[in-house]
Amino acid sequence: MAQQVLDETVKQAIKQFTEMDEKICHFTNILGLLGWDARTYAPKKGKPIFAKAKGTLSTETFKLSVSKEMGECLDTLSQPDVFEQLDSETRACVRERKKEYDKSKQIPSDVYNEYVILASNANDAWEEARAKDDFSHFQPYLEKMIDMKRRFAEYFGYEKHPYDALLDEFEPGLTVEKLDPLFCDLRKKSIELLNRIQQSPRKPRNDIFNQNYDVEKQKEFAQFIIGKLGYDLDAGRLDETTHPFAMGINTGDVRITTRYEPENPRMAVFGTIHETGHALYEQGVNSEYEGRVIRRGSSFGIHESQSRFLENFVGRTKEFWTYFYDDIKAHFPHQLSGVSLEEFYRAVNCVEPSLIRVEADELTYNLHIMLRYEIEKGLIAGDIEVKDLPKVWNDKMMDYLGVIPPSNRLGVLQDVHWSHGGVGYFPSYSLGNLYGAQILNKVLQELPDFYELIQNGEFMKIREWLRENVHQYGKLYTPAELIKKVTGEDLDAKYLTDYLEQKFTKLYDL
Amino acid sequence: MAQQVLDETVKQAIKQFTEMDEKICHFTNILGLLGWDARTYAPKKGKPIFAKAKGTLSTETFKLSVSKEMGECLDTLSQPDVFEQLDSETRACVRERKKEYDKSKQIPSDVYNEYVILASNANDAWEEARAKDDFSHFQPYLEKMIDMKRRFAEYFGYEKHPYDALLDEFEPGLTVEKLDPLFCDLRKKSIELLNRIQQSPRKPRNDIFNQNYDVEKQKEFAQFIIGKLGYDLDAGRLDETTHPFAMGINTGDVRITTRYEPENPRMAVFGTIHETGHALYEQGVNSEYEGRVIRRGSSFGIHESQSRFLENFVGRTKEFWTYFYDDIKAHFPHQLSGVSLEEFYRAVNCVEPSLIRVEADELTYNLHIMLRYEIEKGLIAGDIEVKDLPKVWNDKMMDYLGVIPPSNRLGVLQDVHWSHGGVGYFPSYSLGNLYGAQILNKVLQELPDFYELIQNGEFMKIREWLRENVHQYGKLYTPAELIKKVTGEDLDAKYLTDYLEQKFTKLYDL
């Protein structure tokens, strides 16, 4: 009888939880569309007015996720004996909502309000500081933000390093203890490889992309390429924005954007392929997860692994351009006249230390991330002070990349992330490369003809493998569970370092 | 002391009411954007999934508008002694929300659910019936819908005619008793004028628009024209849809759409001007009304008066085309070569009885509406049965327009409105013409150089007059109050009949 009563209570809690989960998902989907609209087609005078409406819906969504009813359901469903009885999807949903609930509850609401206002002001200050190349204008806001993030870390709690609490927001379960050796290995080997590349006499042609590439032709080519890669255009669309992004509103509506630069067609080509990688992930999640929190990607890092996989491990291969070279030449016959496939391939893989992260090549990109990781860790631990950042930044740039930014605008002020509180986000980018390379290793075992498939344009087979092994699961598994399930191992840096070593040794005749 | 207590209660009620009103408005604005997206850029596979998210937000919005808290606030604020104390904006908001609350409360929720399902099924049935040209497929659904609407009329209540209860949903305060004489007058004079026109030997050229007009050029011209008319492109945008519409998300974001037909450039030109008329209204509402229910137009009829004003009283004048003729010729030099301004002007004002309402000219359009009005009134009163509709329709087409549809698809099945329950909506279209002509009469008194302004392209002065006298007030006044305030008189059909008489007598040398 007692069991009977418990069962009824549990059933009721599951029903109520599922309804709340769905409602939050519906509101989140809507907020996603509003975000897409604000960045694409919204007329400028409407934006500040509409922001209030969006704020009302955000607040409503947040209130639901921390409501008394949600707390009660989560209490019931997360009791070990009950949790065990749940199906795996519901377990994952409870896990995700409980985490969100607990984190939100730990921050006093007055502190949270202060944070929201600070993030808005700090973002304005950063924009002005960057425009004026004046770090001192941003400094007091960043100091407050770092202080706030340190308080957040205390509220959230951590075992060893306060930065763990922040990392966990983007990569659940990740810690400094786990990340330090991965990144250390990657950093050392990347620097060493970079040094060898810089001494190589075999330089790619640098004149190929220094020409005008008609933007309308670039658009045509981008549309052509995404269809070939298996992006479902009936379940998405490609638009143009200054900062490209992918937005998964639901599995039938995953929109991407790109940027077209007349003097730099690589931006649109590889940016579009990158966002297509994100989009294939969201289009490929099990559609039965619609209306549940597990409908999203497993983590920022896993998401990035899918975009990097497509951009680098598919899009920057010789085989990819063997397949597409006639097409791109047909779009730009004048610009590519006299350029061999080999020259083109080498040019899109040119390694060169540079100042700006978002323009970095496949190898040096990770060094930009290492620098930011080290700085974030130091700021949160109290080992680095905000006022010293310009010097710390430039010193690390010299150490890792051998270049020194001539201005803070091209240095410490280049990224938006810290201004709106995104501390702990940067590692996701390199984690994406690490996860991606480890997944590639598995793909090569299971699809030994991987590079032939690319060369023959049979991208659907690659998409199907990723869908079957990664995409379909959405957030069912944590990132650590997922990488283990997919590859049979914990995350290991050797797959990426080996990949980079092989690729660039060959490319640069090292 | 009692007064003191009352004041506090009232203050509290105002505060709570204003917050709820704002929240409903915010959600309504968001629903507006979702509607725009669904009709413009949403990928097709996402639509059915996203419809659920939209449904969740609609339900939430509806629940708020009929919530216990809303009811209590409205009770407090609509007590006569309290209502008197409110400022005029709050009074209007209370009036509008109370009406919505009372109407919603009068329909039992199971009946309302039945209605929502019926509307969805009836709409599907209508689409199929129209595609197959098979009225009998739609008939049972329409019978249920009319029955449902008659029940609604009983729930809402009325003094004299049950149709009054339905009219009131679109044109607050309007009744059959008021409308019959207006429409009777308009119908008789229109038919009489049409007969004279048909006997006139002076026919416009009908070859001008029977040519191919490049769609890209049409787009350019549409963009050019809306800017000239005072549509603020920083607070809106023009897109393309099968069924054109204007969507006012907020005063800084009023989007319009149009349709481009290669063989019929009039569709895009006048359709765009029409929607611009709606948009100028929504862009011109007092921005202090943001977040309040009065931020919308006064009624469907008043809204339509603004679109018709711009489309017909501005856009179909000789002066308008005097100003724009060089521009349109520059866009279509080949098609308009050898076409004089006079010929062009007469061609855009060609009167010809036709089968399809949305393609009708300025004069016969109202006859299409009269027919629908008479039928709706008869259906709701029980004087006409659904099964007889094809015959009734065709008989009235013969009586009013002298043409008989060769099929129901081109007859009784042409409009979507009844299938989703929009009974009482059609009169708004002709009301728009009536209001518009009465407003035009006032404009001509206050801006005696009205036609010179048009001829000189000084559209901003016209927009300013409309903004000052009509647009800014939003829903502050009821339509009857507004027309009286603007013109000093109640609505009178003579302004429209006089206008039509004058215009077409001259055009057709009658």
Side-chain angles (χ1 to χ4, degrees):
Chain A
M1 191 65 193
Q3 183 61 33
Q4 186 72 22
V5 172
L6 177 70
D7 284 354
E8 269 315 301
T9 314
V10 170
K11 273 187 202 162
Q12 186 53 38
I14 292 174
K15 183 169 178 287
Q16 204 186 346
F17 171 75
T18 306
E19 284 169 7
M20 286 188 289
D21 187 26
E22 184 177 41
K23 193 165 172 181
I24 297 171
C25 286
H26 284 172
F27 286 177
T28 307
N29 296 352
I30 292 171
L31 289 166
L33 177 64
L34 305 190
W36 174 85
D37 185 71
R39 292 199 263 176
T40 52
Y41 295 125
K44 71 177 183 187
K45 286 187 183 168
K47 283 189 200 186
I49 308 172
F50 200 71
K52 289 185 192 166
K54 193 177 169 187
T56 299
L57 186 60
S58 295
T59 302
E60 196 70 16
T61 312
F62 177 74
K63 277 188 190 162
L64 268 167
S65 71
V66 296
S67 63
K68 191 165 153 285
E69 296 72 27
M70 179 61 92
E72 287 166 359
C73 286
L74 290 171
D75 274 351
T76 303
L77 299 177
S78 58
Q79 283 166 29
D81 57 326
V82 175
F83 191 73
E84 286 302 304
Q85 294 176 39
L86 303 175
D87 61 68
S88 58
E89 286 80 10
T90 308
R91 269 209 301 273
C93 291
V94 168
R95 179 194 73 213
E96 291 299 320
R97 289 289 177 216
K98 184 156 171 37
K99 187 169 171 177
E100 178 182 71
Y101 179 89
D102 289 344
K103 285 214 167 197
S104 303
K105 284 287 177 185
Q106 276 143 8
I107 300 177
S109 63
D110 59 329
V111 175
Y112 191 76
N113 288 340
E114 200 188 320
Y115 170 64
V116 171
I117 294 164
L118 172 62
S120 171
N121 293 337
N123 190 254
D124 292 346
W126 168 76
E127 282 192 4
E128 201 179 324
R130 193 173 71 145
K132 291 182 178 168
D133 192 17
D134 176 10
F135 180 76
S136 71
H137 184 73
F138 182 44
Q139 185 186 321
Y141 294 91
L142 184 56
E143 280 167 351
K144 281 186 200 137
M145 181 57 82
I146 295 300
D147 183 56
M148 184 67 87
K149 286 281 152 175
R150 294 174 69 175
R151 286 161 73 190
F152 274 31
E154 297 304 322
Y155 289 130
F156 294 153
Y158 52 88
E159 281 185 26
K160 295 192 176 162
H161 196 293
Y163 188 62
D164 294 350
L166 305 180
L167 270 179
D168 185 74
E169 289 216 72
F170 301 96
E171 206 62 21
L174 194 69
T175 60
V176 166
E177 193 172 47
K178 291 177 191 165
L179 199 47
D180 265 349
L182 290 165
F183 275 12
C184 179
D185 206 20
L186 177 58
R187 189 183 67 238
K188 280 187 191 158
K189 291 195 171 140
S190 298
I191 292 174
E192 188 269 330
L193 179 56
L194 175 61
N195 286 338
R196 278 188 288 142
I197 288 171
Q198 290 190 289
Q199 284 155 27
S200 162
R202 200 167 174 217
K203 304 288 181 209
R205 279 179 62 172
N206 61 12
D207 59 331
I208 299 172
F209 297 114
N210 281 335
Q211 305 176 68
N212 194 287
Y213 286 73
D214 179 67
V215 165
E216 289 307 313
K217 288 279 169 200
Q218 288 195 45
K219 286 184 187 176
E220 258 179 41
F221 186 64
Q223 281 285 351
F224 170 72
I225 221 169
I226 60 179
K228 288 278 180 187
L229 288 172
Y231 176 72
D232 182 351
L233 278 157
D234 285 335
R237 47 180 295 113
L238 173 63
D239 294 284
E240 190 177 350
T241 54
T242 312
H243 301 287
F245 64 93
M247 173 64 74
I249 293 162
N250 55 53
T251 52
D253 188 351
V254 184
R255 309 183 186 189
I256 58 175
T257 69
T258 195
R259 182 166 87 206
Y260 302 97
E261 296 185 351
E263 304 288 339
N264 181 10
R266 278 176 298 187
M267 177 63 76
V269 169
F270 293 102
T272 306
I273 300 172
H274 180 96
E275 301 307 335
T276 301
H278 283 301
L280 293 187
Y281 192 176
E282 300 256 337
Q283 286 185 338
V285 174
N286 186 340
S287 63
E288 288 178 15
Y289 297 177
E290 278 306 346
R292 311 191 77 172
V293 63
I294 53 172
R295 206 268 308 152
R296 313 304 299 268
S298 174
S299 70
F300 284 79
I302 297 289
H303 228 306
E304 195 70 11
S305 80
Q306 297 308 295
S307 54
R308 300 277 163 165
F309 191 100
L310 212 64
E311 177 189 351
N312 292 332
F313 306 151
V314 175
R316 288 191 205 267
T317 61
K318 180 82 167 283
E319 292 78 9
F320 185 88
W321 289 107
T322 305
Y323 180 70
F324 279 111
Y325 202 53
D326 284 348
D327 296 312
I328 198 168
K329 273 193 113 156
H331 281 80
F332 303 105
H334 174 70
Q335 292 87 339
L336 297 178
S337 127
V339 177
S340 72
L341 169 62
E342 178 68 22
E343 286 171 327
F344 185 85
Y345 165 62
R346 295 188 68 233
V348 301
N349 281 294
C350 173
V351 170
E352 196 158 45
S354 64
L355 299 171
I356 303 296
R357 175 182 59 86
V358 298
E359 294 168 4
D361 58 76
E362 195 179 351
L363 174 65
T364 61
Y365 190 92
N366 294 310
L367 295 171
H368 288 270
I369 297 304
M370 303 298 117
L371 171 155
R372 285 157 178 80
Y373 168 64
E374 297 295 334
I375 287 176
E376 286 190 343
K377 212 171 48 167
L379 285 168
I380 296 302
D383 301 334
I384 298 177
E385 285 189 60
V386 169
K387 70 173 170 52
D388 299 326
L389 274 191
K391 179 168 167 21
V392 174
W393 185 283
N394 291 356
D395 288 350
K396 282 194 186 287
M397 281 298 286
M398 190 60 212
D399 285 353
Y400 295 175
L401 288 151
V403 290
I404 296 179
S407 69
N408 288 324
R409 208 165 69 81
L410 297 172
V412 67
L413 287 173
Q414 70 183 265
D415 297 303
V416 69
H417 303 54
W418 293 339
S419 79
H420 54 47
V423 178
Y425 186 119
F426 283 120
S428 311
Y429 296 115
S430 282
L431 281 166
N433 290 327
L434 291 166
Y435 287 129
Q438 189 161 329
I439 291 168
L440 174 65
N441 183 262
K442 186 72 184 176
V443 170
L444 292 171
Q445 288 166 27
E446 300 203 353
L447 299 178
D449 58 346
F450 178 72
Y451 291 109
E452 280 169 56
L453 292 174
I454 296 176
Q455 184 153 340
N456 297 326
E458 295 181 69
F459 301 106
M460 295 306 269
K461 289 190 181 158
I462 296 168
R463 190 194 78 175
E464 284 320 297
W465 192 95
L466 293 169
R467 182 169 284 188
E468 177 69 22
N469 290 279
V470 180
H471 302 172
Q472 64 158 320
Y473 297 116
K475 234 180 171 62
L476 184 64
Y477 301 112
T478 65
E481 287 167 353
L482 185 67
I483 195 71
K484 184 100 182 213
K485 181 176 165 62
V486 177
T487 67
E489 287 177 81
D490 294 331
L491 184 59
D492 191 327
K494 76 171 179 223
Y495 296 105
L496 181 59
T497 53
D498 286 354
Y499 159 85
L500 292 169
E501 176 69 24
Q502 275 178 33
K503 172 166 180 171
F504 290 104
T505 301
K506 200 170 164 204
L507 248 157
Y508 279 90
D509 269 343
L510 303 180
Chain B
M1 190 65 192
Q3 183 60 34
Q4 186 72 22
V5 173
L6 176 72
D7 284 353
E8 268 314 303
T9 315
V10 171
K11 271 187 205 162
Q12 186 54 35
I14 293 173
K15 182 169 177 291
Q16 204 187 345
F17 171 76
T18 306
E19 282 168 7
M20 287 188 289
D21 187 28
E22 185 177 41
K23 193 166 173 182
I24 297 171
C25 286
H26 284 172
F27 286 177
T28 307
N29 296 352
I30 291 171
L31 289 166
L33 177 64
L34 305 190
W36 174 84
D37 185 71
R39 292 198 264 177
T40 51
Y41 295 123
K44 72 177 182 189
K45 287 188 184 169
K47 283 189 200 184
I49 308 172
F50 200 72
K52 289 185 193 165
K54 193 177 170 187
T56 299
L57 187 61
S58 294
T59 304
E60 195 70 17
T61 311
F62 178 73
K63 277 187 190 163
L64 268 169
S65 71
V66 297
S67 63
K68 189 164 156 283
E69 295 72 28
M70 179 61 91
E72 287 166 359
C73 285
L74 290 171
D75 274 352
T76 303
L77 299 177
S78 59
Q79 283 165 29
D81 57 327
V82 175
F83 191 74
E84 287 302 306
Q85 293 175 42
L86 304 175
D87 61 69
S88 57
E89 286 80 9
T90 308
R91 269 208 301 272
C93 291
V94 168
R95 180 193 73 214
E96 293 298 320
R97 289 288 176 215
K98 185 160 173 31
K99 186 168 171 178
E100 178 183 69
Y101 180 90
D102 289 345
K103 286 215 167 198
S104 304
K105 283 287 176 184
Q106 277 143 8
I107 300 178
S109 63
D110 58 329
V111 175
Y112 191 76
N113 288 340
E114 201 187 322
Y115 169 65
V116 171
I117 293 164
L118 173 63
S120 171
N121 294 336
N123 190 254
D124 291 346
W126 168 77
E127 281 191 6
E128 201 179 324
R130 192 173 71 145
K132 292 181 178 168
D133 192 18
D134 177 10
F135 180 75
S136 72
H137 184 73
F138 183 43
Q139 186 185 319
Y141 294 91
L142 185 55
E143 281 166 351
K144 280 187 202 136
M145 182 56 83
I146 295 300
D147 183 56
M148 185 67 88
K149 285 283 151 174
R150 292 173 69 178
R151 285 160 75 190
F152 273 32
E154 297 305 321
Y155 288 130
F156 293 153
Y158 52 88
E159 280 186 25
K160 295 191 174 160
H161 197 292
Y163 188 64
D164 294 349
L166 304 180
L167 271 177
D168 184 73
E169 288 216 74
F170 301 96
E171 207 60 22
L174 195 68
T175 60
V176 166
E177 193 171 51
K178 290 178 192 166
L179 199 48
D180 266 350
L182 290 165
F183 275 11
C184 179
D185 206 21
L186 177 58
R187 189 180 67 238
K188 281 187 187 155
K189 293 198 169 138
S190 297
I191 292 174
E192 188 269 330
L193 179 56
L194 175 60
N195 287 338
R196 279 188 286 144
I197 288 171
Q198 290 190 290
Q199 286 154 26
S200 163
R202 201 170 173 213
K203 305 287 182 213
R205 279 178 64 171
N206 61 12
D207 60 330
I208 298 171
F209 296 113
N210 282 334
Q211 304 177 69
N212 194 285
Y213 286 73
D214 179 67
V215 165
E216 289 307 313
K217 287 277 169 201
Q218 288 194 45
K219 285 185 188 176
E220 256 179 40
F221 186 64
Q223 280 285 354
F224 170 72
I225 221 170
I226 60 179
K228 287 278 180 187
L229 289 170
Y231 175 72
D232 182 351
L233 278 158
D234 285 335
R237 46 181 296 114
L238 173 62
D239 295 282
E240 190 176 351
T241 54
T242 313
H243 302 286
F245 65 92
M247 175 63 76
I249 294 162
N250 56 53
T251 51
D253 187 352
V254 183
R255 307 182 188 191
I256 58 175
T257 71
T258 195
R259 181 164 89 207
Y260 303 97
E261 297 186 350
E263 304 288 338
N264 181 10
R266 277 176 298 188
M267 177 62 77
V269 170
F270 293 102
T272 306
I273 300 173
H274 180 97
E275 301 308 334
T276 301
H278 283 302
L280 294 186
Y281 193 174
E282 299 256 338
Q283 286 185 339
V285 174
N286 186 340
S287 63
E288 288 178 13
Y289 296 177
E290 280 304 348
R292 312 191 75 172
V293 63
I294 54 172
R295 206 268 308 153
R296 313 305 298 267
S298 174
S299 70
F300 284 79
I302 296 289
H303 228 305
E304 196 69 10
S305 80
Q306 297 309 293
S307 54
R308 301 277 164 167
F309 191 100
L310 211 64
E311 177 189 351
N312 292 332
F313 307 150
V314 175
R316 288 190 205 269
T317 60
K318 180 82 167 285
E319 292 78 8
F320 185 87
W321 289 107
T322 306
Y323 180 69
F324 279 111
Y325 202 53
D326 285 346
D327 295 311
I328 198 169
K329 274 193 113 155
H331 281 80
F332 304 105
H334 174 69
Q335 293 87 338
L336 297 177
S337 127
V339 177
S340 72
L341 169 63
E342 179 69 23
E343 287 170 327
F344 185 86
Y345 165 63
R346 295 187 68 233
V348 300
N349 283 293
C350 173
V351 171
E352 196 156 44
S354 63
L355 300 170
I356 302 296
R357 175 182 59 87
V358 298
E359 294 169 3
D361 58 74
E362 193 178 352
L363 175 63
T364 62
Y365 188 93
N366 295 311
L367 295 172
H368 288 271
I369 297 304
M370 304 297 119
L371 171 154
R372 286 156 179 78
Y373 169 64
E374 297 294 336
I375 288 176
E376 287 190 344
K377 210 170 53 167
L379 286 168
I380 296 302
D383 302 333
I384 298 176
E385 286 189 60
V386 169
K387 71 173 168 53
D388 300 326
L389 273 192
K391 179 167 165 25
V392 175
W393 185 283
N394 291 356
D395 289 351
K396 282 195 187 288
M397 281 298 285
M398 190 62 212
D399 286 353
Y400 296 175
L401 288 152
V403 290
I404 296 181
S407 69
N408 288 325
R409 210 166 68 80
L410 298 172
V412 68
L413 287 173
Q414 70 184 265
D415 297 303
V416 69
H417 303 57
W418 294 339
S419 79
H420 55 46
V423 178
Y425 186 118
F426 282 121
S428 310
Y429 296 117
S430 282
L431 281 167
N433 289 328
L434 291 166
Y435 287 129
Q438 188 160 329
I439 291 168
L440 174 66
N441 183 263
K442 187 70 185 177
V443 170
L444 292 172
Q445 288 166 28
E446 299 203 353
L447 299 177
D449 57 346
F450 178 72
Y451 292 108
E452 280 170 57
L453 292 175
I454 295 176
Q455 184 153 343
N456 296 327
E458 295 181 68
F459 301 106
M460 294 305 270
K461 289 190 182 159
I462 296 167
R463 189 194 79 175
E464 283 319 299
W465 192 95
L466 293 170
R467 182 168 283 187
E468 177 70 22
N469 290 279
V470 180
H471 302 172
Q472 64 158 320
Y473 297 116
K475 232 179 173 62
L476 184 65
Y477 300 112
T478 66
E481 286 169 352
L482 185 66
I483 195 70
K484 184 100 183 211
K485 181 175 166 63
V486 178
T487 68
E489 286 178 82
D490 292 330
L491 184 59
D492 191 326
K494 76 170 183 228
Y495 295 106
L496 181 58
T497 53
D498 286 355
Y499 158 85
L500 292 168
E501 176 69 25
Q502 275 180 35
K503 172 166 181 171
F504 290 104
T505 302
K506 201 170 162 205
L507 248 158
Y508 279 89
D509 269 344
L510 304 179

